[in-house]
Amino acid sequence: AKDANRYSAGLKYINKAIGLDPNNPDYYVLKATCYHKMNKHDDALDTYDAVIRLFPDSAYLYIIRGLELQSMWVFDKALANYNIAVRLAKTDSILLMCYLNRSSCYVTTRKFEQAYADLMSAYAIDSMDKGVLLDLSTVCDELGRENEVFKYLFRIVEFDSTYYPAYINIGFKYQLLGSHEQAIQYFNKAVGFNPEDPLIYSNRSYSRLMTGDLKGAMQDIEKSIKMYPGNSYAYRNRALIYIAMEKFDEACEDIQR
């Protein structure tokens, strides 16, 4: 309620600013953002429609209207906006943004080949963009391109050895392949860079369980649950540990949770 009041108050000032300068697109974007934060998505779309009528050649405005539509799960209209943005884009930075957002829409609708094509176009623009590389690894995993998954993840840590999400994904990929010792090594690196991420401990817990380290697995999962008690997957992992310890009542309680 407090946030809604803040955004509502902000709208009053933004509307005054628009009254003084109705040809400033930034004011309309701020107004739409306030509506989005207030979960008034139709009002946000009306605002984007208004500013696009004023600036019909702005690729950026189509991108952010696409994002609003995507947040509403109106994927066909979101894609239509991204398609227009691609045609209108005049700089590599805007075009990169187009490809990244359109690919995310394709991923959500499980059109992985189209997502891969967009991400490869983005990669051609900037082969060192971490978002592009991380998304490429995810899409390649869905498409069964095993070698490319590691290629893009290792490329990230080659030029930024502190980027811990890449280590998490490398560890998770090794985990999926059943290489749990290697997975633990990369989860250890991720913990070293960000010891406050509960999902790292949850993932490492599972690999420790698979290597027979029940004590270490339990320590990790207890820490993960304490940090993030709303993660249902962590209770599933702890249930597996309890099963390995033959504590079936505790396992059933966690599965119920």
Side-chain angles (χ1 to χ4, degrees):
K2 185 184 293 185
D3 284 343
N5 290 335
R6 283 171 44 223
Y7 290 119
S8 180
L11 279 171
K12 294 177 183 178
Y13 290 102
I14 294 167
N15 284 329
K16 286 181 180 179
I18 291 173
L20 293 170
D21 184 3
N23 292 313
N24 189 324
D26 293 339
Y27 297 160
Y28 292 90
V29 174
L30 282 172
K31 182 176 179 177
T33 301
C34 285
Y35 281 134
H36 176 84
K37 295 289 188 180
M38 297 165 69
N39 291 318
K40 294 184 176 181
H41 299 289
D42 288 337
D43 290 330
L45 285 178
D46 288 343
T47 305
Y48 285 129
D49 291 345
V51 71
I52 285 173
R53 283 194 294 270
L54 292 172
F55 302 94
D57 295 326
S58 170
Y60 176 70
L61 293 175
Y62 287 99
I63 293 171
I64 55 179
R65 187 169 68 178
L67 285 169
E68 186 67 34
L69 287 160
Q70 192 171 338
S71 75
M72 299 166 66
W73 287 40
V74 187
F75 300 117
D76 55 340
K77 291 184 178 180
L79 283 170
N81 276 265
Y82 297 143
N83 292 340
I84 295 170
V86 168
R87 294 198 299 270
L88 293 174
K90 294 181 174 63
T91 65
D92 281 348
S93 61
I94 290 294
L95 194 55
L96 183 71
M97 193 184 300
C98 293
Y99 287 133
L100 273 171
N101 285 295
R102 190 169 68 177
S103 69
S104 75
C105 197
Y106 282 136
V107 167
T108 306
T109 54
R110 303 195 65 77
K111 297 176 180 177
F112 297 114
E113 290 288 356
Q114 293 94 321
Y116 180 78
D118 269 357
L119 289 168
M120 289 307 296
S121 295
Y123 183 76
I125 295 170
D126 187 352
S127 63
M128 296 179 66
D129 184 283
K130 287 178 283 194
V132 172
L133 294 167
L134 207 59
D135 287 354
L136 263 173
S137 70
T138 300
V139 169
C140 286
D141 194 33
E142 292 286 352
L143 292 172
R145 298 171 178 263
E146 301 289 346
N147 292 334
E148 288 185 67
V149 174
F150 286 112
K151 170 187 171 181
Y152 297 121
L153 289 173
F154 282 120
R155 181 165 174 77
I156 295 173
V157 297
E158 280 175 13
F159 63 80
D160 187 353
S161 61
T162 66
Y163 191 65
Y164 79 93
Y167 293 116
I168 296 174
N169 282 25
I170 293 169
F172 188 63
K173 184 59 185 174
Y174 276 125
Q175 190 176 81
L176 290 175
L177 294 172
S179 302
H180 293 287
E181 293 286 358
Q182 286 175 291
I184 290 168
Q185 291 177 23
Y186 284 96
F187 291 140
N188 289 345
K189 289 183 180 182
V191 167
F193 288 113
N194 187 9
E196 303 304 317
D197 188 331
L199 299 183
I200 304 173
Y201 297 105
S202 180
N203 283 323
R204 190 174 67 178
S205 171
Y206 181 74
S207 283
R208 283 182 161 173
L209 168 63
M210 291 296 101
T211 59
D213 180 11
L214 299 185
K215 182 179 179 181
M218 183 59 80
Q219 287 175 344
D220 270 354
I221 205 63
E222 292 282 6
K223 187 165 189 174
S224 180
I225 289 171
K226 184 177 180 180
M227 296 168 73
Y228 180 17
N231 179 17
S232 62
Y233 201 79
Y235 295 103
R236 173 263 192 191
N237 281 354
R238 190 168 68 178
L240 292 176
I241 298 167
Y242 279 135
I243 290 169
M245 298 168 68
E246 298 187 356
K247 294 184 177 182
F248 301 115
D249 289 341
E250 290 89 338
C252 286
E253 288 176 11
D254 269 353
I255 292 169
Q256 183 62 37
R257 286 194 186 96

